[in-house]
Amino acid sequence: MEEEVVEEVVVLIEQEDDAQLKVYLDNLNISDVEHLIDELPQYAVKFIDTLSIKRAVNVFRILDFPTQERIIKKLPGNKLAELINLLPPDDRTSLFSELKGDAVKKLIILLPAKDRIEALSLLGYEEDSVGRLMTPDYVAVKKDWTVNRVLAHIRRYGKNSETIDVIYVIDKDGVLLDDIRIREVLLADPEAKIGELTDHRLISLKVNDPQEEAINVFRMNNRVALPVVDDNHVLLGIVTVDDILWIANEEYTEDIHKIGGTQALDEPYLDVPVFQLYKKRVVWLIVLFFGELLTIFAMSNFEQQIEKVVILATFIPLIISSGGNSGSQAATLIIQAMALGEITIKDWWRVMRREIFSGVFLGTTLCLLSFSVIIFWQVFSGSLTEPVLIGLVVGCSLIGVVLWGTLMGSMLPLLLKKLGADPAVSSTPFVATLVDVTGLIIYFSMALFFLKGVLL
């Protein structure tokens, strides 16, 4: 946002010219007001209170939760009641699910009886289910209605709908039969029955499905909204693409945090207290610390070999870092492919087969590179004893470690998914720590194989 805009708003606030401030804010885009709140968070409540109620609702719904919570606590009662009442049901549910119990009770009391029942119903679904995302505001029609009657129905009730891009055809019991894009209705014969326009290529979501599944369905289908049904295929609500984009962003952020070896943050980084950041990160660091202790135990079993051939210790960082890097690469690729629905647990053998070939090719490349480096080292320094054997130890170890790393990185996410855990938990630090320990065992086993009776 331009600094001139921020300065003009500050001047109006300091002059206490609320009338002019309202005019100024109402002429800004919704996104500009949101940026203005980011720039001047101390005036967030004043901005929402000054805006006309409909624009206030549109701004409020795109703010992050910490900002929403601060506004709710300080917003005047009459404005708060209007705001909560006009929030779309899905946005209201999202807000209520983030707030603590007492705060939710106070806000639910502000709702009319019908909306209160609706809010409590939506909150009754599992936290990460499609039911928490849906809104009951949609346009539903009967299959024996004419196009003229449907259009009249849309004119009457469409303004209360989340979207009128799609209308839903139901029977007398509320069972969903099909959905029709408004374009097809507008272009049809006014006297045609709506049932004649259906093609029965219906795509719907189950109310108790996980939200991740809804993200995949939207990704694979070009839809602005999808219907939500129960086990009897009764239409309960719809989920719109804007909510899916919001959830997809949250899921992506959460996975990135986990891949980095930390618990997911519930708020923007700069809004999280330092001690909370400490608590989110310390658990994984402790787990990884004890994992790395195994590296010490592994090395202690090969002390005699290291004492006899000191040069072996020089290549330890190269070996374990190569294994960790290859494992991290594989884990990241597989987690992303699983998130996009490109692979499932059933594809484990195909994944393993591909990673075996990838691991061998990658390891062989590093093997040839390391062998060449060691030979050049000997040519220029002449300080190595048995450079060819040392080169074979390091090179063959790299093949084994990289192959093992790619297998661990690719199989761990699938194994965790099979066990019902989050695949992102097999984060890069976790895979790297696991491969560090096994990499040392592979390295010193190769040393014993090639150097026994020569240098050992």
Side-chain angles (χ1 to χ4, degrees), residues 338 345-346 411-423:
M338 292 174 71
I345 299 173
K346 295 179 181 179
M411 291 295 105
L412 271 177
L414 293 171
L415 177 61
L416 287 172
K417 184 71 173 178
K418 178 69 174 178
L419 297 175
D422 189 343

Side-chain angles (χ1 to χ4, degrees), residues 5 7-28 33 36 46-47 50-52 55:
V5 175
E7 290 173 0
E8 287 182 39
V9 169
V10 171
V11 169
L12 291 173
I13 293 173
E14 290 175 348
Q15 293 175 348
E16 299 184 358
D17 191 348
D18 291 347
Q20 189 60 37
L21 178 63
K22 183 180 187 305
V23 173
Y24 194 91
L25 292 176
D26 283 340
N27 286 327
L28 292 175
V33 180
L36 196 59
K46 186 169 186 62
F47 293 148
T50 302
L51 285 165
S52 59
R55 286 178 60 79

Side-chain angles (χ1 to χ4, degrees), residues 129-270:
S129 69
V130 170
R132 284 292 189 98
L133 293 179
M134 72 178 183
T135 174
D137 293 336
Y138 54 87
V139 175
V141 300
K142 303 293 179 60
K143 66 177 182 179
D144 58 344
W145 287 10
T146 63
V147 169
N148 263 337
R149 183 176 177 182
V150 168
L151 292 174
H153 183 76
I154 292 173
R155 292 188 193 100
R156 184 173 181 182
Y157 298 104
K159 64 181 180 181
N160 297 321
S161 175
E162 183 84 359
T163 176
I164 59 170
D165 290 343
V166 184
I167 60 174
Y168 301 92
V169 185
I170 59 174
D171 66 11
K172 60 183 178 62
D173 297 318
V175 173
L176 179 63
L177 303 176
D178 207 348
D179 57 359
I180 304 177
R181 300 191 183 197
I182 190 65
R183 179 177 183 274
E184 297 172 28
V185 177
L186 294 173
L187 297 176
D189 184 339
E191 298 304 319
K193 295 290 181 66
I194 206 70
E196 299 171 10
L197 306 181
T198 57
D199 57 15
H200 301 290
R201 291 185 295 180
L202 178 66
I203 300 171
S204 61
L205 302 170
K206 289 292 184 67
V207 70
N208 293 313
D209 281 349
Q211 293 174 0
E212 284 188 15
E213 190 167 323
I215 295 171
N216 291 331
V217 174
F218 267 90
R219 184 182 289 118
M220 300 300 293
N221 299 277
N222 183 25
R223 298 297 182 98
V224 296
L226 282 176
V228 181
V229 298
D230 64 10
D231 292 336
N232 297 317
H233 216 64
V234 172
L235 181 61
L236 300 178
I238 65 172
V239 173
T240 51
V241 69
D242 59 324
D243 295 315
I244 289 297
L245 289 174
W246 187 273
I247 293 298
N249 181 63
E250 287 188 344
E251 292 286 343
Y252 174 77
T253 302
E254 183 177 326
D255 286 348
I256 289 298
H257 288 161
K258 289 180 179 178
I259 288 173
T262 180
Q263 296 180 32
L265 301 180
D266 302 320
E267 302 174 27
Y269 173 81
L270 292 177

Side-chain angles (χ1 to χ4, degrees), residues 136 304 316 331 334 379:
Q304 293 181 353
I316 289 176
I334 298 303
V379 169

Side-chain angles (χ1 to χ4, degrees), residues 179-434:
D179 57 359
I180 304 177
R181 300 191 183 197
I182 190 65
R183 179 177 183 274
E184 297 172 28
V185 177
L186 294 173
L187 297 176
D189 184 339
E191 298 304 319
K193 295 290 181 66
I194 206 70
E196 299 171 10
L197 306 181
T198 57
D199 57 15
H200 301 290
R201 291 185 295 180
L202 178 66
I203 300 171
S204 61
L205 302 170
K206 289 292 184 67
V207 70
N208 293 313
D209 281 349
Q211 293 174 0
E212 284 188 15
E213 190 167 323
I215 295 171
N216 291 331
V217 174
F218 267 90
R219 184 182 289 118
M220 300 300 293
N221 299 277
N222 183 25
R223 298 297 182 98
V224 296
L226 282 176
V228 181
V229 298
D230 64 10
D231 292 336
N232 297 317
H233 216 64
V234 172
L235 181 61
L236 300 178
I238 65 172
V239 173
T240 51
V241 69
D242 59 324
D243 295 315
I244 289 297
L245 289 174
W246 187 273
I247 293 298
N249 181 63
E250 287 188 344
E251 292 286 343
Y252 174 77
T253 302
E254 183 177 326
D255 286 348
I256 289 298
H257 288 161
K258 289 180 179 178
I259 288 173
T262 180
Q263 296 180 32
L265 301 180
D266 302 320
E267 302 174 27
Y269 173 81
L270 292 177
D271 292 333
V272 180
V274 173
F275 186 70
Q276 188 71 15
L277 279 176
Y278 160 77
K279 290 197 297 183
K280 292 284 187 180
R281 297 160 71 173
V282 70
V283 175
W284 266 112
L285 284 179
I286 291 173
V287 172
L288 296 174
F289 171 81
F290 283 106
E292 291 291 355
L293 286 179
L294 297 175
T295 305
I296 298 174
F297 297 145
M299 290 187 67
S300 65
N301 291 325
F302 295 99
E303 285 181 358
Q304 293 181 353
Q305 288 80 3
I306 294 175
E307 288 175 0
K308 291 180 180 178
V309 188
V310 178
I311 192 65
L312 291 177
T314 306
F315 295 101
I316 289 176
L318 174 69
I319 300 297
I320 61 177
S321 64
S322 297
N325 291 338
S326 65
S328 298
Q329 283 181 338
T332 302
L333 290 173
I334 298 303
I335 291 170
Q336 180 69 359
M338 292 174 71
L340 295 175
E342 297 172 353
I343 60 174
T344 64
I345 299 173
K346 295 179 181 179
D347 299 314
W348 72 271
W349 172 242
R350 293 177 60 194
V351 173
M352 177 178 280
R353 188 172 57 196
R354 291 169 65 88
E355 289 303 317
I356 288 174
F357 284 111
S358 296
V360 170
F361 292 149
L362 293 169
T364 301
T365 301
L366 295 183
C367 167
L368 296 174
L369 188 60
S370 64
F371 190 85
S372 301
V373 169
I374 290 171
I375 296 301
F376 275 116
W377 185 353
Q378 174 64 14
V379 169
F380 287 105
S381 69
S383 60
L384 296 178
T385 303
E386 300 291 346
V388 173
L389 290 179
I390 295 294
L392 286 173
V393 170
V394 174
C396 293
S397 296
L398 283 169
I399 294 176
V401 169
V402 171
L403 175 59
W404 178 249
T406 57
L407 287 176
M408 287 298 96
S410 59
M411 291 295 105
L412 271 177
L414 293 171
L415 177 61
L416 287 172
K417 184 71 173 178
K418 178 69 174 178
L419 297 175
D422 189 343
V425 173
S426 62
S427 56
T428 51
F430 184 75
V431 171
T433 302
L434 178 63

